[in-house]
Amino acid sequence: MSADHYKVLFTGPAGAGKTTAIRTISDHLPMMTDVAATDETRDRKPSTTVAMDYGVIRLGRDEVVHLYGTPGQDRFDFMWEILQEGALGLLVLVDNARPDPVGDLTRFLDAYDAFIAATGVAVGITRTDVSAHPPRQDYVDLLARRGLRCPVFSVDARDPRDVSLLLQSLLYCLDPEASPA
Ligand SMILES: Nc1nc2c(ncn2[C@@H]2O[C@H](COP(=O)(O)OP(=O)(O)OP(=O)(O)O)[C@@H](O)[C@H]2O)c(=O)[nH]1
Ligand SMILES: [Mg+2]
């Protein structure tokens, strides 16, 4: 039986866990383009994505989801638009331990404004074990102010259950008729 193929895109600031999330749920060893970080990200983690991540997950019997991840750093933002092509929806990961994570989310919602309007978005708040502040409600309020109703979860990018729940909630929200796998 031939499967339906979908593409989703993970984005968000450097260190939010995009590469980790894709690696966590991918059925096969993902393709990564991480190089040793030489800039300010080096203090936080040893490597950073310079082009893209790519993994794949089969959901149920007949759905294959292709997982693409962007670089987080602004200097590679030319990849953000390229990677949107053909994607069904966007997963924004934000690192709750950064100085202004709600501002980070605002920046990514702005950057992907037209894409989100045409597709859909879900938000994963990572590193809530490192910083419990700001609360989830701050993100919900921001999304509501922008007229966006979408899933918002606290996720640990290292936990396959968290990441796949976020992914499935995005897919479900894009197509409520679809049965979650
Ligand atoms: N404590 C904690 N660590 C986490 C959590 N989620 C992810 N991490 C860690 O945070 C780091 C995220 O790094 P990456 O996955 O490379 O982040 P990225 O978003 O791909 O970053 P760029 O490619 O630089 O944009 C990894 O060391 C993860 O193990 C979490 O919920 N809690
Ligand atoms: Mg990365």
Side-chain angles (χ1 to χ4, degrees), residues 12-20 34 45 47-49 70-73 126-130 155-158:
K18 304 172 293 293
T19 299
T20 305
D34 273 37
K45 61 195 182 82
S47 72
T48 189
T49 303
T70 70
Q73 295 187 54
T126 64
R127 299 166 73 91
T128 52
D129 55 318
V130 180
V155 300
D156 186 326
R158 302 164 298 180

Short mmCIF file of all heavy atoms in Angstrom, two decimals, residues 12-20 34 45 47-49 70-73 126-130 155-158, ligand 1:
data_model
loop_
_atom_site.label_atom_id
_atom_site.label_comp_id
_atom_site.label_asym_id
_atom_site.label_seq_id
_atom_site.Cartn_x
_atom_site.Cartn_y
_atom_site.Cartn_z
N GLY A 12 12.91 27.69 15.24
CA GLY A 12 13.06 28.27 16.59
C GLY A 12 14.50 28.68 16.80
O GLY A 12 15.38 28.35 16.00
N PRO A 13 14.75 29.39 17.90
CA PRO A 13 16.10 29.93 18.14
C PRO A 13 17.17 28.86 18.38
O PRO A 13 16.84 27.71 18.67
CB PRO A 13 15.91 30.80 19.39
CG PRO A 13 14.67 30.29 20.03
CD PRO A 13 13.80 29.74 18.95
N ALA A 14 18.39 29.27 18.26
CA ALA A 14 19.53 28.37 18.46
C ALA A 14 19.45 27.74 19.85
O ALA A 14 19.23 28.44 20.84
CB ALA A 14 20.84 29.14 18.30
N GLY A 15 19.59 26.43 19.88
CA GLY A 15 19.62 25.73 21.17
C GLY A 15 18.26 25.32 21.69
O GLY A 15 18.16 24.71 22.75
N ALA A 16 17.19 25.64 20.95
CA ALA A 16 15.85 25.28 21.43
C ALA A 16 15.61 23.78 21.35
O ALA A 16 14.72 23.25 22.02
CB ALA A 16 14.78 26.03 20.63
N GLY A 17 16.37 23.08 20.50
CA GLY A 17 16.25 21.61 20.47
C GLY A 17 15.69 21.05 19.17
O GLY A 17 15.20 19.92 19.15
N LYS A 18 15.81 21.78 18.08
CA LYS A 18 15.27 21.31 16.79
C LYS A 18 15.98 20.04 16.32
O LYS A 18 15.35 19.05 15.97
CB LYS A 18 15.40 22.43 15.73
CG LYS A 18 14.74 23.73 16.16
CD LYS A 18 15.03 24.88 15.21
CE LYS A 18 16.48 25.33 15.17
NZ LYS A 18 16.96 25.96 16.41
N THR A 19 17.31 20.10 16.29
CA THR A 19 18.09 18.95 15.86
C THR A 19 17.84 17.76 16.78
O THR A 19 17.64 16.63 16.33
CB THR A 19 19.59 19.31 15.83
OG1 THR A 19 19.78 20.38 14.91
CG2 THR A 19 20.45 18.13 15.40
N THR A 20 17.80 18.04 18.07
CA THR A 20 17.57 16.97 19.06
C THR A 20 16.19 16.35 18.85
O THR A 20 16.05 15.11 18.86
CB THR A 20 17.66 17.55 20.49
OG1 THR A 20 18.91 18.20 20.63
CG2 THR A 20 17.50 16.47 21.55
N ASP A 34 25.23 19.85 11.35
CA ASP A 34 25.81 20.58 12.47
C ASP A 34 27.32 20.69 12.32
O ASP A 34 27.98 19.75 11.88
CB ASP A 34 25.49 19.88 13.79
CG ASP A 34 24.14 20.32 14.34
OD1 ASP A 34 23.23 20.54 13.53
OD2 ASP A 34 24.02 20.44 15.58
N LYS A 45 26.25 24.92 23.78
CA LYS A 45 26.31 23.56 23.25
C LYS A 45 27.42 23.51 22.20
O LYS A 45 27.77 24.52 21.61
CB LYS A 45 24.96 23.12 22.67
CG LYS A 45 24.47 23.97 21.53
CD LYS A 45 23.00 23.71 21.26
CE LYS A 45 22.52 24.52 20.08
NZ LYS A 45 22.83 23.91 18.80
N SER A 47 27.69 22.22 19.13
CA SER A 47 27.49 22.33 17.68
C SER A 47 26.22 23.08 17.36
O SER A 47 25.33 23.23 18.19
CB SER A 47 27.45 20.93 17.06
OG SER A 47 26.24 20.30 17.41
N THR A 48 26.17 23.56 16.11
CA THR A 48 25.00 24.31 15.66
C THR A 48 24.71 23.95 14.20
O THR A 48 25.64 23.63 13.44
CB THR A 48 25.25 25.83 15.82
OG1 THR A 48 24.03 26.54 15.58
CG2 THR A 48 26.31 26.34 14.86
N THR A 49 23.43 24.00 13.84
CA THR A 49 23.01 23.63 12.48
C THR A 49 23.30 24.79 11.53
O THR A 49 22.92 25.92 11.81
CB THR A 49 21.50 23.29 12.48
OG1 THR A 49 21.27 22.25 13.42
CG2 THR A 49 21.03 22.87 11.09
N THR A 70 15.27 23.79 10.64
CA THR A 70 16.06 24.95 10.16
C THR A 70 17.24 25.19 11.10
O THR A 70 17.23 24.73 12.24
CB THR A 70 15.21 26.25 10.16
OG1 THR A 70 14.96 26.62 11.53
CG2 THR A 70 13.90 26.07 9.42
N PRO A 71 18.20 25.98 10.65
CA PRO A 71 19.17 26.54 11.60
C PRO A 71 18.44 27.56 12.48
O PRO A 71 17.43 28.13 12.05
CB PRO A 71 20.19 27.26 10.71
CG PRO A 71 19.91 26.81 9.31
CD PRO A 71 18.46 26.42 9.27
N GLY A 72 18.93 27.79 13.70
CA GLY A 72 18.30 28.78 14.56
C GLY A 72 18.91 30.16 14.42
O GLY A 72 18.25 31.17 14.65
N GLN A 73 20.16 30.19 14.02
CA GLN A 73 20.86 31.48 14.00
C GLN A 73 20.42 32.33 12.82
O GLN A 73 20.28 31.85 11.70
CB GLN A 73 22.36 31.24 13.91
CG GLN A 73 22.94 30.53 15.12
CD GLN A 73 24.46 30.48 15.05
OE1 GLN A 73 25.12 31.50 14.89
NE2 GLN A 73 25.00 29.29 15.18
N THR A 126 10.67 24.23 25.34
CA THR A 126 11.68 23.30 25.85
C THR A 126 12.41 23.89 27.06
O THR A 126 12.30 25.08 27.36
CB THR A 126 12.73 22.95 24.76
OG1 THR A 126 13.44 24.13 24.41
CG2 THR A 126 12.08 22.35 23.53
N ARG A 127 13.15 23.03 27.73
CA ARG A 127 14.00 23.40 28.86
C ARG A 127 13.23 24.05 30.01
O ARG A 127 13.78 24.88 30.74
CB ARG A 127 15.16 24.29 28.37
CG ARG A 127 16.02 23.53 27.34
CD ARG A 127 16.95 24.44 26.59
NE ARG A 127 18.05 24.86 27.42
CZ ARG A 127 19.22 24.20 27.52
NH1 ARG A 127 19.41 23.11 26.82
NH2 ARG A 127 20.16 24.65 28.29
N THR A 128 11.98 23.62 30.18
CA THR A 128 11.21 24.12 31.32
C THR A 128 11.74 23.53 32.63
O THR A 128 11.45 24.02 33.71
CB THR A 128 9.71 23.80 31.18
OG1 THR A 128 9.58 22.41 30.92
CG2 THR A 128 9.07 24.57 30.03
N ASP A 129 12.54 22.45 32.54
CA ASP A 129 13.19 21.92 33.73
C ASP A 129 14.33 22.83 34.19
O ASP A 129 14.67 22.87 35.36
CB ASP A 129 13.74 20.49 33.45
CG ASP A 129 14.66 20.44 32.24
OD1 ASP A 129 14.35 21.08 31.22
OD2 ASP A 129 15.72 19.79 32.32
N VAL A 130 14.89 23.60 33.24
CA VAL A 130 15.98 24.53 33.57
C VAL A 130 15.39 25.85 34.07
O VAL A 130 15.89 26.45 35.02
CB VAL A 130 16.88 24.79 32.34
CG1 VAL A 130 18.00 25.76 32.67
CG2 VAL A 130 17.42 23.47 31.79
N VAL A 155 7.68 20.68 26.14
CA VAL A 155 8.25 19.43 25.64
C VAL A 155 9.74 19.36 25.98
O VAL A 155 10.42 20.39 26.01
CB VAL A 155 8.12 19.27 24.10
CG1 VAL A 155 6.68 19.28 23.65
CG2 VAL A 155 8.90 20.32 23.34
N ASP A 156 10.19 18.17 26.24
CA ASP A 156 11.62 17.93 26.34
C ASP A 156 12.02 17.31 25.00
O ASP A 156 11.55 16.22 24.66
CB ASP A 156 11.92 16.98 27.51
CG ASP A 156 13.42 16.83 27.74
OD1 ASP A 156 14.18 16.85 26.74
OD2 ASP A 156 13.82 16.66 28.91
N ALA A 157 12.88 18.01 24.26
CA ALA A 157 13.23 17.56 22.90
C ALA A 157 13.93 16.20 22.92
O ALA A 157 14.03 15.55 21.89
CB ALA A 157 14.10 18.60 22.22
N ARG A 158 14.38 15.76 24.09
CA ARG A 158 15.05 14.47 24.20
C ARG A 158 14.07 13.33 24.43
O ARG A 158 14.47 12.17 24.45
CB ARG A 158 16.06 14.53 25.36
CG ARG A 158 17.10 15.62 25.19
CD ARG A 158 17.83 15.92 26.49
NE ARG A 158 16.92 16.40 27.53
CZ ARG A 158 17.28 16.73 28.77
NH1 ARG A 158 18.54 16.65 29.12
NH2 ARG A 158 16.39 17.14 29.64
N1 LIG B 1 17.59 20.25 30.14
C1 LIG B 1 17.02 20.15 28.94
N2 LIG B 1 17.78 20.08 27.85
C2 LIG B 1 17.15 19.99 26.66
C3 LIG B 1 15.74 19.98 26.53
N3 LIG B 1 15.43 19.91 25.22
C4 LIG B 1 16.60 19.88 24.56
N4 LIG B 1 17.65 19.93 25.42
C5 LIG B 1 19.08 19.99 25.12
O1 LIG B 1 19.29 21.26 24.52
C6 LIG B 1 20.23 21.17 23.45
C7 LIG B 1 19.55 21.55 22.14
O2 LIG B 1 20.51 21.52 21.12
P1 LIG B 1 20.12 21.35 19.58
O3 LIG B 1 19.12 20.26 19.42
O4 LIG B 1 21.40 21.26 18.82
O5 LIG B 1 19.40 22.75 19.31
P2 LIG B 1 19.00 23.39 17.92
O6 LIG B 1 17.65 24.02 18.14
O7 LIG B 1 19.09 22.40 16.82
O8 LIG B 1 20.07 24.57 17.76
P3 LIG B 1 20.71 25.25 16.41
O9 LIG B 1 20.95 24.18 15.41
O10 LIG B 1 21.97 25.89 16.90
O11 LIG B 1 19.71 26.27 15.97
C8 LIG B 1 20.71 19.72 23.44
O12 LIG B 1 21.89 19.65 24.22
C9 LIG B 1 19.56 18.97 24.11
O13 LIG B 1 19.97 17.77 24.74
C10 LIG B 1 14.95 20.05 27.73
O14 LIG B 1 13.71 20.06 27.73
N5 LIG B 1 15.65 20.15 28.91
#
